[in-house]
Amino acid sequence: MSRRTEGIATLSRAATPTILGLIGVILLAFPLRLAEGLAPTPLLPLVVVFFWTIYGPGLLPAASVFLIGLLQDFLSGGPLGLWPAVYLVTQYVVASQRGYFLGREQRVVWLGFVFAAAGAAFVLWMVMSLMTRTLLPLGGVFWQMAATIAVFPLFSAAFRQLHRRVLREA
Amino acid sequence: MEALGQDRREGLGRKAESRAVLVTMIVASFILLLSSLYSAEASVFRKARETVLDAAEPILALVAAPIAYIESVVGDVGDYFNVMEQNKALRSENAELRQWMDEALALRKTLTQYEQLKAFQAPPEAKPINAFVIGDSNDAFTHAMLVNAGAPDGVARGQAVIDDKGLVGRIVETGRSASRILLLTDAQSRVPVFVEDANLEGILVGRANARPAISFTLSAEPANFQKGQRVLTSGAGGVVPRGVPVGVITEEKDGEAVIDLYADFARARLVRIIDYRFPSLDPVPAPAPDAAPETESEESEAAAVPASVAALPAAPPAPAPAEGAEDEPAAPEPSTLAPSTPAPPPVEPDEED
């Protein structure tokens, strides 16, 4: 492998988590309407942020998380800075607990994700309630986080394979 | 399995540095949040939003079509299972609609007779712009949709959007090829409406859940609406035409009427943007020198419309019916019908006080 193709390979490896996060955001903007709009679309970027903050923080720098959140703001039409704040606070908290999660069983990590999602939901709810100056109902965000938590093991397993086989070979 | 992440040295050397960057980024995003709160209409933000909207349009449109196809197939399969109940429901609905059709035909006949009167001038036509839904904000607190029509198609901010059943929301952003609809359920949505049969005007306020509520801020006494009454747009403000169906009152809560919307956000694939403006918004050459020097903006707008109004001030003043005309719920916006009727005085005397 020449040096140049190697460089491209390294770069694309490094960019993969960011791209996955961006794909997650675009998926959120699609009119998927699972089960006739009853099931909310899972917050895939939150899974991406959580996963790589634990297993490969070098691959998902804060700038990438900011970018992912900002794109989500633009596409959802919410106030700019909302989702960067939610994702970055999640990243900060998860990064501080990283030593605990490393090497743990997956169900422990899943439980950790439940707490992370609850924290993210709280930040989201608080910021939006302050911005609209009303106490917003919690139902919508509860179900969306529930959907995200439900699909977490699936995506976590997929990301684990990807991370082990591709991303860490550098 | 658990081999992953066993070595804790990963990224350790850069830990302190990355932590500082992270904190900086968090602070930056909160500053951005505050600034977008206080200057959401700033041209920089607006421009950026529109640019991203246009950039995302091809991607979203590309994938929206297959998703719609899959959904239609899945929906069909679901339909097989409850085809009997649907059939029954449709039959009874059909019977009901037939009665309505009879009534509508009778009314149409009457209407054509009225239209043949020389005095009649139709309210301005609302031009529809059809657009496909290419995006949803699947977000707990922002309720919006993206559609594939933009400013070149005639879409402008504030225009009403309907689906086949009722009002969906209003346009808040227009790019070149895509626009954003703020749905009625969004916490920031405000649409002037009235309750049919109850002579009540109010503002429909989104509550960030499935059902928005009408707040009646203007009336001092408790509003006397009832369950099951229809809610239509009132046309106040002048961008949304009067009489677009919105929903049905389902309950009363804290003095507000909670609405069950006619529009079905989960099924709306094709929506219709209503390009509507009051005739008064068009620049008028300069007729009507002393038409009506009152302050009431809507009425002065109405008075300034077509040439025929110039002849009007001679008509009988008739102050009393103005109130009655305003209470008339099903009638179109007074100002839209106003510039008419020079001859028969009792029909529309509400141009002036």
Side-chain angles (χ1 to χ4, degrees):
Chain A
M1 206 193 281
S2 77
R3 180 173 287 179
R4 194 166 159 205
T5 53
E6 205 173 302
I8 290 172
T10 314
L11 191 70
S12 58
R13 265 202 291 271
T16 303
T18 309
I19 291 169
L20 280 173
L22 294 175
I23 289 174
V25 169
I26 292 173
L27 255 169
L28 273 172
F30 282 138
L32 284 176
R33 298 173 186 176
L34 307 167
E36 300 198 345
L38 285 177
T41 316
L43 271 175
L44 203 50
L46 192 69
V47 180
V48 171
V49 169
F50 183 85
F51 185 89
W52 269 285
T53 303
I54 292 178
Y55 296 117
L59 294 173
L60 193 67
S64 288
V65 177
F66 187 85
L67 186 73
I68 291 167
L70 199 63
L71 182 70
Q72 188 167 340
D73 281 342
F74 274 124
L75 288 183
S76 76
L80 294 185
L82 172 69
W83 284 102
V86 172
Y87 290 149
L88 285 166
V89 168
T90 307
Q91 190 178 32
Y92 184 87
V93 173
V94 173
S96 70
Q97 302 301 316
R98 185 170 171 248
Y100 176 80
F101 287 119
L102 282 179
R104 296 268 170 180
E105 288 176 62
Q106 276 308 303
R107 48 200 174 119
V108 178
V109 177
W110 192 13
L111 192 66
F113 183 74
V114 172
F115 285 108
F122 178 71
V123 174
L124 182 65
W125 175 80
M126 199 180 57
V127 171
M128 284 309 283
S129 290
L130 284 174
M131 296 200 90
T132 53
R133 295 181 186 82
T134 47
L135 284 181
L136 292 168
L138 280 163
V141 74
F142 174 81
W143 287 114
Q144 187 163 37
M145 288 305 176
T148 312
I149 290 165
V151 300
F152 177 80
L154 197 73
F155 283 99
S156 175
F159 291 164
R160 216 154 55 229
Q161 294 296 323
L162 181 75
H163 192 77
R164 261 209 317 213
R165 298 192 177 184
V166 185
L167 302 185
R168 289 190 59 203
E169 272 174 17
Chain B
M1 273 291 165
E2 275 71 52
L4 187 61
Q6 286 284 11
D7 57 329
R8 300 189 175 198
R9 287 170 298 147
E10 197 177 20
L12 211 64
R14 295 162 52 198
K15 196 172 179 182
E17 185 198 334
S18 67
R19 183 65 59 92
V21 174
L22 183 51
V23 172
T24 315
M25 286 285 184
I26 291 177
V27 173
S29 54
F30 274 105
I31 290 173
L32 186 63
L33 198 55
L34 278 179
S35 60
S36 70
L37 173 62
Y38 286 107
S39 56
E41 296 296 298
S43 58
V44 187
F45 288 136
R46 177 160 299 287
K47 192 79 206 152
R49 282 176 181 285
E50 287 169 6
T51 310
V52 173
L53 205 59
D54 285 339
E57 191 267 338
I59 309 171
L60 292 173
L62 196 70
V63 183
I67 287 178
Y69 174 73
I70 290 167
E71 196 194 48
S72 73
V73 171
V74 173
D76 288 348
V77 173
D79 283 345
Y80 287 124
F81 289 101
N82 46 20
V83 71
M84 290 308 274
E85 294 114 81
Q86 280 189 352
N87 210 350
K88 209 167 157 188
L90 285 173
R91 221 172 271 156
S92 69
E93 193 182 334
N94 197 16
E96 197 179 328
L97 288 176
R98 251 172 215 293
Q99 292 174 8
W100 281 111
M101 189 181 77
D102 288 342
E103 197 172 333
L105 286 176
L107 284 173
R108 188 202 269 173
K109 194 166 277 176
T110 324
L111 200 61
T112 38
Q113 284 169 356
Y114 280 132
E115 277 173 356
Q116 280 162 357
L117 294 175
K118 268 266 178 345
F120 181 80
Q121 187 168 5
E125 285 277 313
K127 268 182 292 171
I129 304 161
N130 294 323
F132 279 104
V133 176
I134 54 167
D136 271 340
S137 65
N138 295 295
D139 195 321
F141 298 123
T142 48
H143 298 227
M145 277 185 193
L146 303 178
V147 291
N148 66 346
D153 304 304
V155 182
R157 287 208 289 145
Q159 285 170 346
V161 183
I162 56 173
D163 69 356
D164 50 354
K165 300 189 187 75
L167 189 69
V168 170
R170 293 175 73 172
I171 300 283
V172 285
E173 271 167 50
T174 50
R176 294 192 58 73
S177 54
S179 308
R180 190 191 312 282
I181 308 166
L182 190 71
L183 302 182
L184 296 176
T185 49
D186 190 281
Q188 301 193 327
S189 168
R190 303 281 184 277
V191 174
V193 293
F194 72 92
V195 183
E196 202 182 43
D197 303 331
N199 295 344
L200 278 173
E201 301 252 345
I203 303 283
L204 188 70
V205 179
R207 290 283 183 235
N209 54 20
R211 288 176 180 167
I214 308 180
S215 77
F216 303 100
T217 45
L218 294 177
S219 64
E221 64 267 32
N224 54 339
F225 52 83
Q226 273 153 23
K227 265 190 190 177
Q229 282 176 330
R230 286 210 314 160
V231 175
L232 311 172
T233 56
S234 76
V239 192
V240 180
R242 187 178 175 92
V244 177
V246 175
V248 177
I249 296 181
T250 51
E251 59 171 322
E252 194 242 315
K253 202 170 151 191
D254 306 332
E256 297 184 336
V258 180
I259 305 298
D260 219 350
L261 294 172
Y262 286 134
D264 189 352
F265 297 148
R267 279 176 180 270
R269 288 283 166 202
L270 181 70
V271 294
R272 186 164 270 205
I273 302 158
I274 306 177
D275 182 9
Y276 176 85
R277 63 193 73 168
F278 280 114
S280 51
L281 293 183
D282 298 330
V284 175
D290 55 348
E294 71 277 281
T295 49
E296 202 63 31
S297 66
E298 240 176 39
E299 298 186 353
S300 59
E301 277 167 6
V305 196
S308 69
V309 192
L312 247 173
E323 200 178 79
E326 211 166 56
D327 287 347
E328 192 82 36
E333 186 73 21
S335 60
T336 64
L337 270 181
S340 57
T341 64
V347 186
E348 286 267 1
D350 54 306
E351 273 100 318
E352 52 227 313
D353 307 318

